[in-house]
Amino acid sequence: FITSERGLVFALTEGGSSASTITISDTNKSLPGVAATPDGAFVLVTDATDNVVHVIDASTNALVDADPQTAGVNPIALPENSSLRDVVVAEVENPTDVYAFVSGTGGISVIDLNIAGSSFQQPAVIDFNDGGADDDEDDPLPMSSAPGLLKVSGDGYVYAAASNASI
């Protein structure tokens, strides 16, 4: 899967002999990050223009509705993080589930993808700054500097590269 600045994602066949076009938007969008779930069933695309993550069913190349409670095909909204950059997906053992980690200027947003078999359920964005009370905001994990690229290790650790970061 390859993204463009024109709101398009291209799904290449194995060997690259043909490609399908998936339209995220009819207008220009910054789509800097792409990651697949461990089983390859779904692909996540970060949208830095709208601060959302689009979900694509890799078998049909169709956009997946991440919020069936709302009309239309909705992406995963990350309003508390901005200028989204990278996305990685990791299967975590405790609690067992598949999570997406999305970097942006607000830090790292963590999304429980709620994948049941080959079915995509409504995802849950984890809030890292409730202060003990649910404030209906999904604050990202803050960092001392805006993270850029993310990498996930084989044992489930997520690493973030950030310029001007402090430890």
Side-chain angles (χ1 to χ4, degrees), residues 1-163:
F1 288 84
I2 300 170
T3 64
S4 78
E5 294 291 318
R6 297 189 179 269
L8 303 173
V9 176
F10 302 100
L12 302 175
T13 59
E14 192 169 332
S17 60
S18 65
S20 299
T21 303
I22 303 158
T23 302
I24 299 290
S25 173
D26 292 331
T27 60
N28 291 349
K29 299 282 181 185
S30 176
L31 307 172
V34 178
T37 55
D39 63 1
F42 299 98
V43 174
L44 282 71
V45 178
T46 56
D47 179 338
T49 306
D50 296 331
N51 299 320
V52 298
V53 176
H54 299 278
V55 181
I56 299 170
D57 182 326
S59 65
T60 63
N61 292 334
L63 288 171
V64 174
D65 188 3
D67 184 5
Q69 311 290 330
T70 307
V73 177
N74 301 288
I76 302 168
L78 299 174
E80 303 304 319
N81 206 347
S82 58
S83 299
L84 302 182
R85 294 184 177 117
D86 202 11
V87 58
V88 294
V89 179
E91 192 163 5
V92 178
E93 291 184 20
N94 189 11
T96 303
D97 214 339
V98 177
Y99 292 85
F101 300 83
V102 181
S103 63
T105 55
I108 298 175
S109 294
V110 180
I111 307 164
D112 182 344
L113 294 177
N114 291 324
I115 297 173
S118 62
S119 174
F120 189 86
Q121 308 297 317
Q122 187 167 357
V125 180
I126 298 171
D127 191 346
F128 285 96
N129 192 24
D130 266 346
D134 189 3
D135 59 7
D136 292 328
E137 295 177 358
D138 297 321
D139 297 306
L141 180 65
M143 295 185 66
S144 64
S145 179
L149 294 177
L150 300 174
K151 296 295 176 200
V152 63
S153 67
D155 55 359
Y157 285 94
V158 176
Y159 297 92
S163 61

